[in-house]
Amino acid sequence: MFRSAGQALSIGLCIALAALGLGLTLFALFSAAWQIVELREYHIEHQHGIWLYCVRSAKYSVSPGTIYDEAPLHCAYKFDDSATQIIDDTLARVDAEGAAREAEHHRFSGWHQTILVFILLSQVLGFVALCAGCCSTRSHVAAITLPVTMFLSLLLSLVAAGIFFLTAMRVDIRFAQAHVGTYEQQIGYAFYVHLLGTLCLGISFILSLCSVYRTVADHRSTNNLRSAAHSTPIFSSSTSYKPEVSGPPLLEKYSALTRPSPQAPYVREYAYRVTSA
């Protein structure tokens, strides 16, 4: 049970922020807008995500006052074998047909796989933290498990964001080469949504620390009260009773008063008879 309204509020906010953070990071994972580049010579927009990429026609004007709306996204998985074969064929025709070298960004590279693994592990640990938070009021083991799993989930999410940002700033990843020009890829909104979810996980971790500290402190004070109650005499109703300082045993204490005094040593008397001559 909750010891105070503050503890109930901290645990409730911790669970709510953890769920919100996991939802935001999961939404960012299923979005392709991690890197966005507009190839103006083709009038198309490419979105490069962690495990999928999307292409759609960009807005452009044919005549003054005429603007075409954006077309819907056409997405494909980076780990799809058929998509990988198309990318290889496209790169093989770069010199012959002038195909865009931008297709290299559609591969499911090693750094994409690393980020995906870290985010999935963060999601699993965050779910464990949610379960521990729901049981933290009944079990002290769950109360201690909550901040540990929240910290690991936060750490993995931060590592995934750091790997993406550092890799996206590399020259070969940051710039996309088309047939004529070279275009710079911009970091999309999915990365910032992931950072927002990571921030929610961080705040939830701080609240979990406060909650587990309060739970452990209450548990320790309860144990102290129980130990004090056990040391109180049976006929005493006061919880502030303190037993006397232990002295010598009662037998030794009172036997000194009744112990007989030592007897004088026995001296044998010899009687001498005086005889007359």
Side-chain angles (χ1 to χ4, degrees):
M1 297 179 64
F2 296 111
R3 298 291 181 180
S4 62
Q7 184 180 4
L9 181 62
S10 63
I11 293 179
L13 287 177
C14 175
I15 295 175
L17 287 175
L20 179 61
L22 293 177
L24 290 175
T25 53
L26 191 63
F27 172 79
L29 180 62
F30 280 92
S31 175
W34 286 76
Q35 288 179 300
I36 301 175
V37 59
E38 182 181 354
L39 304 178
R40 289 184 293 273
E41 59 187 84
Y42 300 127
H43 300 290
I44 57 176
E45 177 184 281
H46 284 240
Q47 296 182 2
H48 303 140
I50 302 300
W51 55 282
L52 75 163
Y53 66 92
C54 299
V55 180
R56 70 176 170 187
S57 300
K59 291 181 180 180
Y60 65 96
S61 176
V62 177
S63 61
T66 304
I67 299 178
Y68 290 88
D69 294 333
E70 294 179 347
L73 287 171
H74 300 281
C75 301
Y77 303 113
K78 290 185 176 182
F79 50 80
D80 190 3
D81 294 335
S82 59
T84 304
Q85 184 63 35
I86 294 175
I87 293 172
D88 294 337
D89 295 340
T90 302
L91 294 176
R93 299 195 307 268
V94 167
D95 297 330
E97 302 180 6
R101 293 183 177 87
E102 188 271 341
E104 295 179 352
H105 299 278
H106 298 172
R107 295 182 181 274
F108 193 41
S109 305
W111 64 282
H112 293 116
Q113 300 174 18
T114 303
I115 293 174
L116 181 61
V117 169
F118 276 113
I119 293 179
L120 291 179
L121 289 177
S122 176
Q123 292 287 323
V124 172
L125 291 173
F127 179 76
V128 174
L130 288 178
C131 296
C134 296
C135 302
S136 60
T137 58
R138 298 291 182 180
S139 173
H140 297 288
V141 177
I144 297 175
T145 305
L146 173 61
V148 174
T149 51
M150 282 303 307
F151 173 75
L152 294 177
S153 178
L154 172 64
L155 180 62
L156 292 176
S157 183
L158 284 175
V159 170
I163 292 175
F164 172 80
F165 183 78
L166 294 177
T167 308
M169 292 296 104
R170 286 169 42 186
V171 177
D172 56 334
I173 303 297
R174 183 177 179 181
F175 295 94
Q177 178 67 43
H179 178 58
V180 177
T182 301
Y183 304 93
E184 181 180 3
Q185 296 193 92
Q186 304 294 331
I187 294 180
Y189 66 87
F191 174 72
Y192 298 105
V193 172
H194 178 83
L195 288 182
L196 182 60
T198 305
L199 178 62
C200 293
L201 292 178
I203 299 175
S204 178
F205 168 66
I206 296 175
L207 291 176
S208 66
L209 284 180
C210 299
S211 175
V212 72
Y213 173 77
R214 185 62 181 172
T215 302
V216 172
D218 291 342
H219 179 65
R220 184 175 299 175
S221 62
T222 302
N223 290 338
N224 292 336
L225 290 176
R226 289 178 179 176
S227 61
H230 290 165
S231 62
T232 304
I234 300 177
F235 300 101
S236 176
S237 60
S238 175
T239 58
S240 61
Y241 172 79
K242 296 182 179 180
E244 296 181 355
V245 179
S246 59
L250 294 178
L251 292 178
E252 296 182 3
K253 183 176 181 181
Y254 294 101
S255 62
L257 301 177
T258 59
R259 185 180 300 171
S261 58
Q263 298 180 357
Y266 174 75
V267 179
R268 187 175 182 180
E269 297 180 356
Y270 295 92
Y272 296 95
R273 180 178 297 179
V274 180
T275 58
S276 59

